[in-house]
Amino acid sequence: MKKQSKKKGKLKQKLTDKYRLVVLNEDTFEERFSLKLSLLNVFVLGGVLSFLLILVTTFIITFTPVKEYIPGYSSTELKIKATKLAFQTDSLKRKLDILHDYTIALRPILTGEIKPNILDSVEIEAEKVIIKDSLLNASREDSIFREKIESQDRFPIQNNATSNVKIVFFAPLNGTISQDYDSKTKHLAVDIVAKKNSPVKATADGSVIFSGWTTETGYVIILKHAYNYISVYKHNGNLLKQQGDFVKSGEVIASVGSTGELSTGPHLHFELWSDGYAVNPTNLIDFK
C-alpha cells in the first residue's frame, strides 16, 4: 500500500512540477521569451488544440466545396442537376403516357375507322315560303321585320320536316357561346363561357373513354354515346369521372376551368363527333 501511494505521489508530482521554457539570444544570452509549463498543462493544451483541429476540419469538409476534392465525395451541384433531371424525366414520361392514351382514344375518330350510319343526323326539308303582303294586309313595320328575319342565316324546323335523330342531346353547360363552330377556321367546337367551377354535365348517356391531362387543352374528358357519337369536353378545372365509368345524361362529370396552354379564361370547349366526323353541336343541342 505504501509503495502504491508513493508511486501515485511521484506521478502527481511529475505532472504538476513546473518547467520553464526560455528563449535566449544566442549572442548576448538575453532572455527573449519564457513560459512556465507542466506536463499536465501540455497534455490539456494538446488535447484542446487537437479537438479544435478536428472540429475545423470536419466543418470545412461538410460545409465547403473542398470535400469535392476528397475521393469518395460527389459534387453537390451535380447532385442537384441529377435530381432536377430525374423530376423532369418523370414529368415527361407522364405527359407521353397521357398523350399516348389520348391518341389511342381518338384514333378511330381521326382515321375514320368507324363506319358511318345512314340518316344519323337531323334532316330538314324546308320549303321556301312566299308571303304576300296584300293577303295579310301587313303594315310597313311588319314588312321590314319579316325581311330582316328572312335575310338571317337560320335553319327553321318546318312542320313537315322529318327527324331521324336516334339520340337526344342536352346542353353540357349553361353559359354564353363565345365562339361558334366554324369548319373554315378548323374550330370544330363551340366555346361556352361560364363561371369557374360551374358544373359540366354529360350531354347524353355514355361511357368515359378518356379522362386525363394534355399540355394544350388541360384536363380533358371524352364520352362515347350510342350510335357512335362522341362528345369531347376540354379546358376543365378538374375531372370527376375516370376512364371506364358509365355516366347518365345530365350527370356532372367535371367543372369549368381554364387549364391548358390554349385557354384564355374559364370556359368549356365542347366538341361533338359522329362516326369520325365533326358535327356542329348547335344543330343538335339548344344552348339557350
Side-chain angles (χ1 to χ4, degrees):
M1 294 294 292
K2 291 183 178 181
K3 290 182 178 180
Q4 289 180 355
S5 60
K6 287 182 179 181
K7 288 182 179 179
K8 289 182 180 179
K10 290 181 179 180
L11 179 61
K12 181 178 180 182
Q13 185 177 0
K14 287 182 179 180
L15 291 174
T16 56
D17 284 346
K18 299 290 184 178
Y19 298 92
R20 187 174 184 182
L21 176 65
V22 180
V23 179
L24 301 175
N25 188 330
E26 186 178 358
D27 296 329
T28 63
F29 296 99
E30 180 183 357
E31 183 177 331
R32 294 290 187 181
F33 174 76
S34 64
L35 180 66
K36 289 183 178 181
L37 293 173
S38 64
L39 290 177
L40 183 62
N41 296 139
V42 172
F43 290 149
V44 172
L45 183 61
V48 172
L49 291 177
S50 300
F51 176 77
L52 291 176
L53 181 61
I54 294 173
L55 186 65
V56 171
T57 304
T58 304
F59 178 82
I60 293 174
I61 293 176
T62 305
F63 300 102
T64 64
V66 175
K67 64 182 178 182
E68 297 177 5
Y69 299 96
I70 301 176
Y73 285 92
S74 59
S75 172
T76 304
E77 185 179 357
L78 184 62
K79 286 183 178 179
I80 294 173
K81 288 182 178 180
T83 304
K84 288 183 178 179
L85 289 175
F87 282 121
Q88 291 177 357
T89 302
D90 182 68
S91 178
L92 289 174
K93 185 177 181 302
R94 291 185 60 190
K95 289 182 179 179
L96 286 175
D97 292 339
I98 292 172
L99 288 174
H100 178 69
D101 295 338
Y102 184 68
T103 304
I104 292 176
L106 287 182
R107 184 178 296 169
I109 301 174
L110 300 177
T111 59
E113 295 178 4
I114 304 175
K115 296 181 179 180
N117 292 332
I118 300 175
L119 299 178
D120 202 15
S121 61
V122 177
E123 295 183 357
I124 300 173
E125 298 178 359
E127 296 181 357
K128 186 176 180 181
V129 179
I130 301 175
I131 302 175
K132 295 182 180 181
D133 292 346
S134 59
L135 298 177
L136 296 177
N137 193 21
S139 64
R140 183 174 179 274
E141 289 77 11
D142 291 337
S143 300
I144 294 174
F145 179 76
R146 187 179 298 110
E147 290 177 359
K148 181 179 179 181
I149 295 300
E150 289 179 351
S151 63
Q152 293 179 352
D153 183 14
R154 66 195 188 281
F155 301 92
I157 301 178
Q158 307 295 334
N159 293 331
N160 61 343
T162 58
S163 175
N164 293 282
V165 178
K166 300 177 182 178
I167 183 173
V168 178
F169 294 100
F170 297 92
L173 178 66
N174 294 326
T176 304
I177 296 180
S178 60
Q179 187 172 0
D180 292 319
Y181 177 96
D182 190 354
S183 59
K184 294 181 180 179
T185 60
K186 302 299 182 182
H187 187 260
L188 307 179
V190 292
D191 290 342
I192 308 169
V193 177
K195 291 183 179 180
K196 190 175 181 180
N197 296 326
S198 297
V200 177
K201 303 176 182 178
T203 189
D205 295 350
S207 58
V208 180
I209 61 175
F210 177 80
S211 178
W213 168 271
T214 65
T215 304
E216 294 183 348
T217 56
Y219 286 109
V220 179
I221 186 168
I222 303 176
L223 306 182
K224 179 175 175 56
H225 309 285
Y227 306 106
N228 293 327
Y229 276 100
I230 289 179
S231 58
V232 183
Y233 313 75
K234 298 180 179 179
H235 302 302
N236 297 287
N238 55 33
L239 305 177
L240 304 179
K241 298 296 180 181
Q242 298 179 351
Q243 185 173 348
D245 291 347
F246 180 79
V247 297
K248 301 292 291 182
S249 178
E251 185 175 354
V252 178
I253 57 175
S255 65
V256 174
S258 182
T259 57
E261 296 178 353
L262 300 180
S263 179
T264 57
H267 75 286
L268 172 65
H269 179 96
F270 178 71
E271 301 176 11
L272 192 61
W273 295 75
S274 174
D275 296 318
Y277 297 94
V279 178
N280 187 347
T282 57
N283 290 344
L284 301 177
I285 302 173
D286 183 9
F287 289 91
K288 295 182 180 179

